[in-house]
Amino acid sequence: TPDNEFEKLIRPTVVPASQIGVTFDDIGALTDIKESLQELVMLPLKRPELFNGGLLKPCKGILLFGPPGTGKTMLAKALANESGASFLNISLSTIMSKYYGDAEKTIRALFSLATKLAPAIIFVDEVDSLLGQRDRRNENELPRRIKNEFMTHWDGLLSKSNERILVLAATNRPFDLDEAIVRRFEHRIMVGLPTLDSRELILKKLLSKEKIEEGIDFKELATSTEGYSGSDLKNLCVTAAYRPVRELIQKEQQKVKIRRKMQCKLRSQKRNPKVR
Ligand code: ATP
């Protein structure tokens, strides 16, 4: 069937939980968010019998929003990994890729594949580009059709409490989202820039497996990195880690130079023993 063909095309975007390298423990700070996600997602996926009807229903939509590089993607991956859910990583480019041809069929295949792989997390990165505000002048345009198709399948999930599929999305531009889409996210979680204490925790986490000088003042580092995101802190650590490597290479090159000089000197002494 056409759907099967499209499912095959979606498959490369699926990462089984066992192959996701990120855990909650790799994420510095963000404690409250990690706890909320564990309660909202992991518990219903692991113990669905506790969420069967009544007031408690498994959550089907969570939006993570905030500035770039604050750990939204990391949180999504860790969540899939630790809840044992397959991770379907979707973005506008996946849906619109020329290989996929028909965007609506691709979305249909996405949801049907997720149902087969459940428990599953459909992660939509940069959701504003895929499900942004409707442009009323272009009612029949492809973006609108994509949104409608996505919402139809999502609503299908919302009406069935036993489907163990979650739509998890991330954006840096929450205000660009279509209102109808925002409403479908039962939980909207802000992942902001790290505070002073959080920066200290993130720096400690990023450097926890590295050989570092004794007595590094993490508080001072955190103080001097106001406004940095987790990703900025990571880049800072990577840059710092290059320094000893660069020094080592320079020392090695220096040694090679000295050895070559000595060899030249020895050779010329052999040829002309009087030269000193
Ligand atoms: P974007 O909105 O640009 O997609 P994002 O919020 O999804 O960004 P991530 O991709 O999760 O951010 O983070 C980028 C990188 O920054 C991560 O791979 C990680 O190395 C580092 N990082 C960010 N936040 C943290 C954190 N709290 N603890 C440890 N590392 C972090």
Side-chain angles (χ1 to χ4, degrees), residues 65-89:
F65 66 96
T70 45
K72 298 183 288 299
T73 309
M74 250 190 140
L75 284 164
K77 285 186 177 165
L79 192 58
N81 183 4
E82 301 210 4
S83 57
S86 295
F87 189 68
L88 290 90
N89 195 346

Side-chain angles (χ1 to χ4, degrees), residues 169-185:
T171 181
N172 307 325
R173 307 162 67 95
F175 300 109
D176 286 355
L177 281 173
D178 192 316
E179 242 176 67
I181 295 288
V182 175
R183 241 184 293 123
R184 281 168 174 79
F185 288 109

Side-chain angles (χ1 to χ4, degrees), residues 26-30 66-75 123 125-126 170-172 191 202 205-206 229-232 234:
D26 297 325
I27 305 174
L30 303 177
T70 45
K72 298 183 288 299
T73 309
M74 250 190 140
L75 284 164
F123 178 60
D125 204 1
E126 294 177 10
T171 181
N172 307 325
V191 189
I202 294 172
K205 185 63 81 183
L206 288 169
S229 66
S231 171
D232 295 333
K234 165 90 182 274

Side-chain angles (χ1 to χ4, degrees), residues 87-103:
F87 189 68
L88 290 90
N89 195 346
I90 294 298
S91 63
L92 181 67
S93 55
T94 323
I95 303 289
M96 300 292 270
S97 162
K98 61 179 175 190
Y99 299 109
Y100 300 141
D102 190 325

